[in-house]
Amino acid sequence: CGRRLGCAAMADTAPLKILQLKEGSNEVDILKDNLATVSKGLRDSGAHYVSIVAVMGAYRTGKSFLLDLLMRFMRKKCALMAAALKHKEARRRAEADLETAERMENEEKMTAAKAAIVAIDQEISEAAVMPEYPTWHFGDGDAPKQPPPAWMLEGDADRISEGSKKGDGQAGFAWRPGKDKCTQGIWLWSTPFVFTDKAGRKIAVLLMDTQGAWDDTMTKAQSATIFGLTALLSSKLIYNIQNRIEEVQLENMDYITTFAQTVCAELPGSGSPYGHLELLIRDWANYEDGFTEEQCLEQMEDHENDHLNPAKVPPDAVERVERLAISFKSINSFGLPHPGLKVTKPAYDGEIAQIDPDFSHLLNIFVDKFFGEDFPSPCAPLGMEITVNSFQQVVMNFAEAFRENAADMAIGLREAFVKVEMMTCREDLLRRFKDQLLRLAPDTSVVDPVYLKKEVAKLTASLKEEFEMKLRPWRLKDSEEFSATSEFAATISEQGNVRVMQNEQQVEGATMKIVASPVVGCGAYFLLVHQWIFMIAAAGGAYCHAKKWSTRNEVELYDVSVVQGMGEDVKKFSIQRWKDLQAMQVAVNRFNPNEAMDALTKASQQAGVMAAAAASSAGVNFQTQSNGAAASSNGVHKADIGQEPGAPYREEA
């Protein structure tokens, strides 16, 4: 791996390390110069958006070797796209020449243009012709050996030499057979592949390689940082899995993605945090001899459902599976058989002829599906599409977010999962509490305070007990369980008490209104008898409200927004009066003369305090005005006797 470039200046096109482990700590370092080089290549590509295809997984599972194969496919795909664009442009020019020749009635040029169109169409047809081979069956040793797909022979047709130990070390991602790990940190191919999506947007595609997950040189925090960044930045993520899908791999992925979302919770954006996840199972040994392509795909679909279908997984895995499903835009799986024993030997140097034909055939099916109709699509972590201009800053922002949270991510896997499950359980119970509280006392309703207080207490106790029951299987320390339970109980109690207090205040206000109803009734009778006063008052009120909204929105009185604002006022007024009626009904049902007198006395005291405060304020203002008037009068007198207004007053002798 020493042949890989650690410095951006050593080559124009090469894999560049953008992130490396920081020895002696939980942190990682961003190699800013290399990141700037990749960013410049993106801007120079002429594309507008960025798409990253990444491979992650355990070490020594063939990630870098796979990326070099994918690079060959991308080069071939780019060449085919360029040829298609060239043919399209040549045909457009030939059609334009034919149209010009027809207008000029030039037979010679018309013939030449038609011949050019026929030649171009024939060239396109020949390029589209695929060689015919016998129907493929897995493990069919008697059938004629099929050659590798054409894209696999792109470049060096004999060896996968891009990243092999005998290669130049710069043509691909470095890999080596055997047991020794190779890749360290995060690497990006410095030169993007530019494609056009269905909307006609140019998208620059980068390939990303990562260090093996959970190896002995990384702390848990560093693993979470590397793979959290990889998952966030990639539009298509290949999770390399050895032999079969197992719970530990899904637990690791759940841990990484959950903490990545937690780390970036304060960053802007919304939507699915991650792009497409492909579970690529290496050395899948369960294809039976004679299987067709369809049977292989069906077997993998069954295996995927066994581990990712909520209806089939064990009860304790349902929440994890559901979290993964909503975290990624889509999830698929594919199984590749063993590439052949010779490929795993230390002496193997990329010879294509030594790769098992079944591996090559199924790999061709995989890349056709993986880079299918939805390819390319921009990276959109947290719903934000990454552009070539924002790429460098986005990577730096995410890396900084992980660096600041490294201490939190250094906890063990069990503790992490317990925290995640506890948080999920707590949020679920809080949501249920709010829903049930809303059914007990809707925002537009007023209920009997005694009944509401009793029901809220029962609901609080029930959910607290349920939360305690859910905590017990996790075997927390007594202090941790007590702290979590107390915090949860305090949260729901506070929310319940707020609603009880609001309801109680509404009923107390209704009691006051009942006591004051004779006065209100007389006023209403007076307005009904003197309708012209009522109309003037109504018109004045309407004008005041219209003026309020006109001033607030800085528009004319007749503007539509003013009418909409007045409509909102009417709606709020109607809701409040409806709540008053309900509150008065409750107050009448529980009416007690002594309580009414207490409420009236309390209101009188409050009114007295408010009146005293108003009088005090008015007295201060009056005194200030009096002093000002006296000063003014004194100034006039002084002016009359020929003194300056500010000079000391002297009496005449």
Side-chain angles (χ1 to χ4, degrees), residues 516-532:
S517 58
V519 178
V520 176
C522 291
Y525 176 76
F526 177 80
L527 289 176
L528 287 175
V529 173
H530 302 83
Q531 297 181 1
W532 60 275

Side-chain angles (χ1 to χ4, degrees), residues 176-197:
R176 63 169 65 129
K179 60 181 178 58
D180 297 327
K181 65 191 72 169
C182 186
T183 307
Q184 295 183 342
I186 294 180
W187 295 73
L188 282 173
W189 190 249
S190 61
T191 304
F193 300 91
V194 180
F195 296 93
T196 304
D197 68 0

Side-chain angles (χ1 to χ4, degrees), residues 52 75 77 110 132 173 250 283 322 329 366 397 451 595 602 606:
I52 295 178
R75 286 172 178 156
K77 192 175 181 70
M110 287 171 59
E132 294 185 3
F173 292 96
L250 297 181
D283 303 343
E322 291 176 344
K329 291 180 180 178
F366 167 71
N397 287 348
Y451 167 78
E595 291 181 357
K602 186 188 299 183
Q606 291 176 351

Side-chain angles (χ1 to χ4, degrees), residues 384-435:
M384 302 180 298
E385 291 187 336
I386 299 179
T387 65
V388 296
N389 293 321
S390 65
F391 169 77
Q392 184 172 356
Q393 190 59 50
V394 168
V395 175
M396 296 294 293
N397 287 348
F398 281 145
E400 181 66 16
F402 276 91
R403 186 188 68 79
E404 291 175 353
N405 290 270
D408 294 334
M409 290 185 293
I411 62 177
L413 275 177
R414 181 188 177 279
E415 289 81 357
F417 288 130
V418 167
K419 284 191 174 183
V420 171
E421 293 295 333
M422 191 188 311
M423 180 178 62
T424 303
C425 172
R426 184 176 182 274
E427 290 176 352
D428 179 59
L429 291 177
L430 282 175
R431 185 167 53 251
R432 284 172 50 193
F433 178 79
K434 292 177 182 178
D435 291 342

Side-chain angles (χ1 to χ4, degrees), residues 401-642:
F402 276 91
R403 186 188 68 79
E404 291 175 353
N405 290 270
D408 294 334
M409 290 185 293
I411 62 177
L413 275 177
R414 181 188 177 279
E415 289 81 357
F417 288 130
V418 167
K419 284 191 174 183
V420 171
E421 293 295 333
M422 191 188 311
M423 180 178 62
T424 303
C425 172
R426 184 176 182 274
E427 290 176 352
D428 179 59
L429 291 177
L430 282 175
R431 185 167 53 251
R432 284 172 50 193
F433 178 79
K434 292 177 182 178
D435 291 342
Q436 294 183 41
L437 182 60
L438 196 60
R439 285 196 291 271
L440 277 173
D443 292 336
T444 58
S445 298
V446 179
V447 298
D448 185 352
V450 176
Y451 167 78
L452 180 60
K453 191 172 184 179
K454 178 181 177 182
E455 291 300 317
V456 168
K458 286 170 56 179
L459 178 60
T460 301
S462 173
L463 292 181
K464 179 183 176 183
E465 183 180 356
E466 185 174 348
F467 186 68
E468 291 174 346
M469 292 292 292
K470 287 183 177 292
L471 292 183
R472 286 172 189 169
W474 299 334
R475 299 178 182 176
L476 298 174
K477 295 179 181 178
D478 292 341
S479 58
E480 293 177 344
E481 184 172 343
F482 177 78
S483 175
T485 305
S486 300
E487 182 182 352
F488 174 74
T491 301
I492 59 176
S493 296
E494 181 181 0
Q495 294 182 4
N497 291 337
V498 167
R499 185 65 187 96
V500 169
M501 187 179 300
Q502 291 173 344
N503 187 77
E504 183 70 36
Q505 289 173 349
Q506 195 77 29
V507 175
E508 287 181 358
T511 304
M512 283 295 304
K513 289 172 184 175
I514 292 174
V515 174
S517 58
V519 178
V520 176
C522 291
Y525 176 76
F526 177 80
L527 289 176
L528 287 175
V529 173
H530 302 83
Q531 297 181 1
W532 60 275
I533 298 178
F534 173 75
M535 294 174 64
I536 292 174
Y543 175 79
C544 291
H545 277 278
K547 189 65 177 175
K548 178 188 73 174
W549 285 102
S550 173
T551 304
R552 181 179 298 177
N553 298 340
E554 298 181 350
V555 295
E556 298 294 337
L557 285 173
Y558 50 79
D559 191 83
V560 175
S561 62
V562 173
V563 178
Q564 292 174 342
M566 293 177 66
E568 287 295 321
D569 286 342
V570 172
K571 181 180 178 181
K572 291 178 181 177
F573 178 82
S574 302
I575 292 174
Q576 186 58 45
R577 298 293 74 78
W578 169 243
K579 292 173 69 175
D580 286 343
L581 288 174
Q582 296 179 83
M584 292 172 72
Q585 183 180 3
V586 172
V588 167
N589 292 335
R590 61 195 294 262
F591 185 78
N592 185 307
N594 293 330
E595 291 181 357
M597 289 302 299
D598 291 342
L600 187 59
T601 302
K602 186 188 299 183
S604 299
Q605 292 173 349
Q606 291 176 351
V609 171
M610 293 173 63
S616 176
S617 176
V620 171
N621 292 337
F622 177 76
Q623 183 66 31
T624 302
Q625 292 173 0
S626 299
N627 292 339
S632 176
S633 175
N634 192 27
V636 172
H637 178 70
K638 292 174 183 177
D640 288 343
I641 62 176

